[in-house]
């Protein structure tokens, strides 16, 4: 019972406010059901709250039309709406971005996943939502060079032949320069020539053509003998000996005898407790083209295998249909379209190879790796 003073039971005194609150909660619940992708056929019924006050019945609140929220045909607005919803409360239910289907027969929230042609397709009803369009630069002659780029560098946007031309004579076409983002009018600015250099497998080892056999003292020096088993003498006999003084060339091998040191060591005699002196004298030789030095120990016999000097690689340079091959070792120099490079290192990596090449002009090093 309600007293005239307004005092008494709390619910009786505030029933108007409580009724309005229930109505608002009903609206919020209906909207949330729509946003969460409820059945498309289940339209939201009228959310009507009858409010009575002081003996007089007031007009009912108008039906709430929420279909515009979940059945928008505007894709951009739909996506934006979905993102807002995801940010505010869908993120707590779904681990991926979702958008609402634009089909009025569906309208459900779906994962934002695209097919191979970049179309967004509803996973529930299969309706295509939108097609991603990528703007392409204008290319009137369809030679792969955008018109704006051709005009910038003085080329003809209406002539497709200039894509294969070499405006600055650096051995790269204008199309290659465009793809590499270099200046087709500056011969010093071009793609790397090393991009056209390939390693051919397998790698090979190079060996000295001789072994160190012996040394004989001479006034103020030593005369050392080297033996090349791969050559024949003037009588057709296999093996050629070359005798040189310190500081002289070792035949035409490209090596120079730099020094000699007489050395020996005690070694056990097989089947005996005694030991004997064994000659282990050494010579230092130097390769003239790169200054590489090697130390050789005197050979025990003429059948000893020569020392390995380098790992050798075969490189193939292919530009504009022309092919050039190089057999290189560490220290070798090669020229590619007028640019000089030095092979710094060659090494085996697994079943392949890795070669470090240094630009002779800039000093910049780059590693080439076999496929």
């Amino acid at each position: 019972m309600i007293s005239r003073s307004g005092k008494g039971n709390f619910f009786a005194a505030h029933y108007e406010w409580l009724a309005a609150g229930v109505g608002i909660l009903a609206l919020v619940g209906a909207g949330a059901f729509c946003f969460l992708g409820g059945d498309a056929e289940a339209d939201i019924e009228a959310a009507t709250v009858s409010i009575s006050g002081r003996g007089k019945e007031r007009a009912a609140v108008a039906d709430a039309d929420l279909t515009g929220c979940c059945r928008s045909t505007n894709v951009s607005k739909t996506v934006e709406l979905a993102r807002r919803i995801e940010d505010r409360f869908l993120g707590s239910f779904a681990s991926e971005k979702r958008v609402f289907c634009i089909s009025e027969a569906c309208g459900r929230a779906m994962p934002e996943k695209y097919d191979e042609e970049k179309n967004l397709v509803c996973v529930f009803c299969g309706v295509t939502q939108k097609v991603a369009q990528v703007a392409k630069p204008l290319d009137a002659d369809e030679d792969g060079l955008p018109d704006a780029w051709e005009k910038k560098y003085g080329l003809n946007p209406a002539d497709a032949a200039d894509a294969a031309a070499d405006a600055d004579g650096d051995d790269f076409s204008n199309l290659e320069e465009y793809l590499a983002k270099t200046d087709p009018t500056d011969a010093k600015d071009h793609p790397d020539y090393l991009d056209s250099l390939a390693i051919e497998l397998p790698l090979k080892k190079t060996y000295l053509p001789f072994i160190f056999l012996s040394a004989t003292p001479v006034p103020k020096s030593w005369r050392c003998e080297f033996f090349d088993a791969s050559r024949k003498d003037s009588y057709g006999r296999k093996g050629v000996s070359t005798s040189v003084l310190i500081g002289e060339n070792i035949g035409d091998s490209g090596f120079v005898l730099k020094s000699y040191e007489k050395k020996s060591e005690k070694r056990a005699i097989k089947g005996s407790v005694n030991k004997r002196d064994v000659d282990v004298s050494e010579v230092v030789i130097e390769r003239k083209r790169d200054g590489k030095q090697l130390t050789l120990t005197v050979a025990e016999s003429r059948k000893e295998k020569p020392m390995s000097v380098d790992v050798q690689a075969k490189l193939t340079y292919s530009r504009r249909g022309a092919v050039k091959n190089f057999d290189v070792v560490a220290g070798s120099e090669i020229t590619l379209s007028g640019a000089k490079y030095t092979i710094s290192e060659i090494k085996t990596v697994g079943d392949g190879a890795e070669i470090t090449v240094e630009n002779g002009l800039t000093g910049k090093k780059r590693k080439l790796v076999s496929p």
Side-chain angles (χ1 to χ4, degrees), residues 76-250:
S76 62
K77 290 182 179 179
T78 302
V79 173
E80 179 59 29
L81 177 60
R83 287 175 178 166
R84 290 205 309 269
I85 292 172
E86 179 193 38
D87 290 342
R88 296 192 177 182
F89 72 81
L90 268 188
S92 63
F93 298 97
S95 60
E96 56 189 351
K97 187 177 293 183
R98 293 173 179 268
V99 293
F100 288 111
C101 177
I102 64 173
S103 170
E104 292 195 11
C106 180
R108 302 176 71 178
M110 58 182 171
E112 192 177 26
K113 293 182 179 180
Y114 297 82
D115 64 16
E116 294 180 356
E117 297 181 358
K118 300 300 181 183
N119 295 322
L120 178 60
V121 180
C122 179
V123 296
F124 301 109
C125 67
V127 173
T128 299
Q129 310 294 302
K130 61 182 177 181
V131 178
Q133 296 180 344
V134 180
K136 295 183 179 180
L138 184 63
D139 181 9
D141 54 9
E142 298 182 346
D143 59 356
L145 302 176
D147 292 355
W149 191 85
E150 293 197 55
K151 291 177 181 178
K152 177 181 178 180
Y153 292 108
L155 303 177
N156 186 356
D159 183 9
D162 56 13
D166 181 8
D168 54 7
D170 59 6
D171 204 26
F172 286 96
S173 69
N174 294 326
L175 181 58
E176 289 175 311
E177 298 255 19
Y178 166 69
L179 295 175
K181 299 181 180 180
T182 54
D183 188 343
T185 63
D186 184 357
K188 294 182 180 179
D189 185 22
H190 55 71
D192 197 338
Y193 292 121
L194 296 181
D195 291 338
S196 302
L197 195 65
I199 304 172
E200 290 193 16
L201 297 176
L203 299 179
K204 297 180 180 179
K205 287 186 177 182
T206 61
Y207 295 86
L208 286 174
F210 51 74
I211 58 175
F212 170 41
L213 276 186
S214 63
T216 304
V218 296
K220 298 182 179 180
S221 187
W222 290 86
R223 180 175 293 279
C224 298
E225 180 183 359
F226 298 88
F227 179 73
D228 185 350
S230 64
R231 297 173 60 189
K232 293 183 179 181
D233 63 14
S234 56
Y235 297 100
R237 293 174 300 190
K238 189 174 181 180
V240 175
S241 293
T242 302
S243 182
V244 299
L245 295 173
I246 294 175
E248 292 182 342
N249 293 330
I250 306 175

Side-chain angles (χ1 to χ4, degrees), residues 66-83:
L66 302 179
T67 57
C69 297
C70 57
R71 293 181 181 176
S72 172
T73 58
N74 186 313
V75 175
S76 62
K77 290 182 179 179
T78 302
V79 173
E80 179 59 29
L81 177 60
R83 287 175 178 166

